Amino acid sequence: MNKLTHHNLISSLWILLVFILLSLTSCATSIRFPVDRPAEIDSKGANSIAVLPFSSGNMLPFYFNHSSDSKVIVNYIQEQFQNKLLRSGFFTLVSAQELPKGGKPSKDAAYDIYIHGNIYNFSNFVEKILVESQDKKKKEYVFKRKVTLSVKYQVIHTRTEEVLYTTTQHIEEESGEYTHASDIPNFFSLVEYDLNSRINSIVKKLAPYTTTRKVALLKNKSKDEATKEAMKTAQQLTKEGLYPLAQRAYMDIYEQQGLFEAGYNAALLLEATGQLQKAEELMS
């Protein structure tokens, strides 16, 4: 079998598997359960954290520099980090309103780690575009705003000065076209979502958090009347939130009938009730 044929076969099998799972889960009962997500950044046992003001300055001289606009972004980043870290409750948040002299804190500062970074290549301008009008003698224009910037984020260990995490975000956004320049949205509304998404991502990497997972149970495909009735009972127990009883019911069906859907559902319910090792063993 040549490589192309083999690749096509594998692709077809994956498509078939997805189709089967979709057919088994369409209109099926779903369960929701909390899942603990660990921190991805090794904070070296840190208990306290500070968010230092981000610096701003353009690395490329031809970019438009708006110092007041940059200040808006600097304040927003610091405020959002502080709010989200405070809500996480994982670190003691230490106030740090000013950037220390030399751009870095002393090794005996009151916080174990800190978040810092810089904004550069910031550009914010309104473009005036000539459009073709029905009246050839009259010139008509539309206006749109374009914003670009880069943000470098770093998490740094205060005492060792080790960079524990670093990432750079590049943002390029533009508004729609407007007949009147006064109708164009302000620059911050174009970049707020991107900035907030990255800040959320970094906080989730720093501090453990709990999220809700939603999964669909597989529907019964057995034509055996007794099995259908047993699966219906297990499904009803699931809908009522009686997960341990539902798991046992599905497990009984799986052990007696070898029904794949029942075993799969039993494994999901084991996970939902925190029995992760048993769920993994059953899934495998």
Side-chain angles (χ1 to χ4, degrees):
M1 183 183 295
N2 62 47
K3 289 184 178 180
L4 184 58
T5 304
H6 178 72
H7 175 75
N8 291 340
L9 176 61
I10 295 297
S11 299
S12 299
L13 288 173
W14 271 112
I15 292 171
L16 178 61
L17 177 60
V18 170
F19 176 78
I20 291 171
L21 287 175
L22 286 174
S23 66
L24 289 173
T25 58
S26 58
C27 301
T29 301
S30 295
I31 59 174
R32 295 173 181 268
F33 53 95
V35 178
D36 292 329
R37 302 294 188 192
E40 296 178 27
I41 299 172
D42 182 2
S43 59
K44 308 295 184 181
N47 295 312
S48 56
I49 190 170
V51 185
L52 302 186
F54 278 45
S55 59
S56 61
N58 288 334
M59 297 174 67
L60 302 178
F62 55 83
Y63 270 71
F64 300 88
N65 186 15
H66 300 259
S67 57
S68 60
D69 293 345
S70 296
K71 187 65 175 175
V72 169
I73 297 174
V74 165
N75 291 341
Y76 178 79
I77 290 175
Q78 187 175 28
E79 180 183 278
Q80 289 302 307
F81 266 126
Q82 289 174 335
N83 290 341
K84 295 177 194 303
L85 286 167
L86 195 60
R87 285 200 296 268
S88 77
F90 188 70
F91 296 102
T92 298
L93 184 63
V94 179
S95 177
Q97 296 302 324
E98 295 183 1
L99 193 66
K101 292 181 179 179
K104 62 175 65 174
S106 64
K107 293 183 179 182
D108 59 351
Y111 38 87
D112 300 323
I113 59 175
Y114 63 93
I115 298 173
H116 182 48
N118 62 294
I119 299 165
Y120 59 96
N121 293 348
F122 177 58
S123 169
N124 168 30
F125 64 95
V126 173
E127 184 178 4
K128 184 178 180 181
I129 306 167
L130 178 65
V131 295
E132 188 174 337
S133 62
Q134 293 179 348
D135 184 356
K136 302 296 183 181
K137 297 180 181 179
K138 182 180 178 182
K139 289 185 178 181
E140 293 184 2
Y141 296 90
V142 292
F143 304 86
K144 69 177 179 181
R145 185 185 300 279
K146 291 186 177 181
V147 181
T148 63
L149 73 150
S150 298
V151 188
K152 184 177 182 178
Y153 304 86
Q154 289 189 316
V155 180
I156 303 172
H157 194 280
T158 307
R159 184 173 54 81
T160 65
E161 298 184 355
E162 177 185 356
V163 177
L164 305 178
Y165 176 78
T166 184
T167 184
T168 300
Q169 177 184 22
H170 302 290
I171 299 175
E172 294 184 14
E173 295 290 346
E174 62 180 47
S175 70
E177 295 179 349
Y178 293 82
T179 305
H180 304 289
S182 58
D183 293 334
I184 301 174
N186 65 60
F187 86 95
F188 185 72
S189 66
L190 298 181
V191 301
E192 181 179 7
Y193 177 82
D194 290 329
L195 289 171
N196 196 49
S197 295
R198 182 58 60 91
I199 293 167
N200 275 331
S201 174
I202 294 172
V203 171
K204 284 184 175 181
K205 291 178 186 295
L206 263 172
Y209 66 98
T210 301
T211 187
T212 300
R213 184 181 175 198
K214 178 183 177 181
V215 291
L217 301 184
L218 298 185
K219 293 193 302 181
N220 171 50
K221 290 296 180 180
S222 172
K223 298 188 181 300
D224 178 73
E225 289 301 323
T227 303
K228 286 166 66 175
E229 196 61 35
M231 287 288 284
K232 187 182 294 184
T233 300
Q235 183 185 42
Q236 185 59 38
L237 289 169
T238 304
K239 287 182 177 179
E240 293 174 8
L242 303 173
Y243 290 175
L245 292 177
Q247 187 276 325
R248 187 64 255 174
Y250 279 122
M251 196 64 192
D252 287 344
I253 300 168
Y254 178 66
E255 289 174 342
Q256 294 167 16
Q257 306 292 332
L259 187 66
F260 170 79
E261 298 97 296
Y264 179 88
N265 292 349
L268 288 181
L269 286 163
L270 281 170
E271 183 181 359
T273 53
Q275 302 176 74
L276 302 183
Q277 186 173 350
K278 289 183 178 180
E280 186 178 355
E281 289 172 356
L282 183 55
M283 276 292 189
S284 64

